[in-house]
Amino acid sequence: MSLDVSSAFKNMPAQDKQRLQWAALVLGAVLLWTFNVAPALKTLRDVPPQLAKLDAQTQTLKTLQTQAQALQKSPRLSASDATTLLQQSSRELLGTGAQLTIQGARASLTLTGVSADNLAQFLATARTQSHALPIEAHLQKFTGTGANAKELWRGALILNLPTTGS
């Protein structure tokens, strides 16, 4: 027994035909919303935050590019000049909270209680002036005591010093 859909639809009462047409219309609208409209609206909602994030990343990359170009253009330092500059910035920025030991092209910095700002300033200065790059870090954050009750850092940093130059 074969069922002919079009003849079955024609033989339905008018009220059932109308209900079936409405059900098909609702199903079509749900499918249209689910597969066409909803994804497009989600994309429209997600694009502005993604663009802002990409703009921030682009700006960061441009800043890093500018820094790298400035470092490339800066004159090469001798190992002794780099060492002198690193020792000087260590004394000025980290004070008694750090001990710097230099062995060949490596500098070991032992921290006993240095603020994050001073440490960040030292690392920036070490990079730009001494061309020293951190290659290893073992740091811990702790809270100082007494009048020095702020967050401090302790641990060790190993920096690579430039070996080329006159």
Side-chain angles (χ1 to χ4, degrees), residues 67 71 85-86 88-94 98 100 107-111 114-139 153 156-161:
Q67 289 176 0
L71 286 172
L85 285 169
L86 193 64
Q88 181 183 358
S89 63
S90 171
R91 279 191 307 271
E92 289 175 4
L93 297 170
L94 304 176
L100 184 67
S108 297
L109 184 67
T110 305
L111 305 172
V114 175
S115 73
D117 290 339
N118 288 356
L119 181 58
Q121 216 175 353
F122 168 78
L123 288 171
T125 302
R127 180 175 177 211
T128 56
Q129 290 181 2
S130 303
H131 300 257
L133 298 174
I135 56 173
E136 194 174 328
H138 302 280
L139 300 173
W153 291 89
L157 276 172
I158 298 176
L159 299 128
N160 201 20
L161 296 170

Side-chain angles (χ1 to χ4, degrees), residues 31-149:
L31 289 174
L32 180 69
W33 176 266
T34 302
F35 295 109
N36 290 347
V37 177
L41 288 175
K42 183 182 181 319
T43 300
L44 283 174
R45 260 191 325 270
D46 293 348
V47 165
Q50 287 176 347
L51 284 176
K53 183 178 176 184
L54 288 173
D55 285 342
Q57 288 175 344
T58 301
Q59 195 60 37
T60 300
L61 289 174
K62 285 181 181 180
T63 302
L64 291 173
Q65 179 186 24
T66 303
Q67 289 176 0
Q69 289 171 342
L71 286 172
Q72 287 173 343
K73 291 177 184 175
S74 66
R76 298 283 177 216
L77 293 175
S78 67
S80 64
D81 289 343
T83 301
T84 303
L85 285 169
L86 193 64
Q87 289 171 333
Q88 181 183 358
S89 63
S90 171
R91 279 191 307 271
E92 289 175 4
L93 297 170
L94 304 176
T96 59
Q99 173 79 29
L100 184 67
T101 308
I102 297 177
Q103 295 173 330
R106 297 268 166 107
S108 297
L109 184 67
T110 305
L111 305 172
T112 55
V114 175
S115 73
D117 290 339
N118 288 356
L119 181 58
Q121 216 175 353
F122 168 78
L123 288 171
T125 302
R127 180 175 177 211
T128 56
Q129 290 181 2
S130 303
H131 300 257
L133 298 174
I135 56 173
E136 194 174 328
H138 302 280
L139 300 173
Q140 295 176 331
K141 187 176 5 175
F142 71 99
T143 303
T145 58
N148 204 13

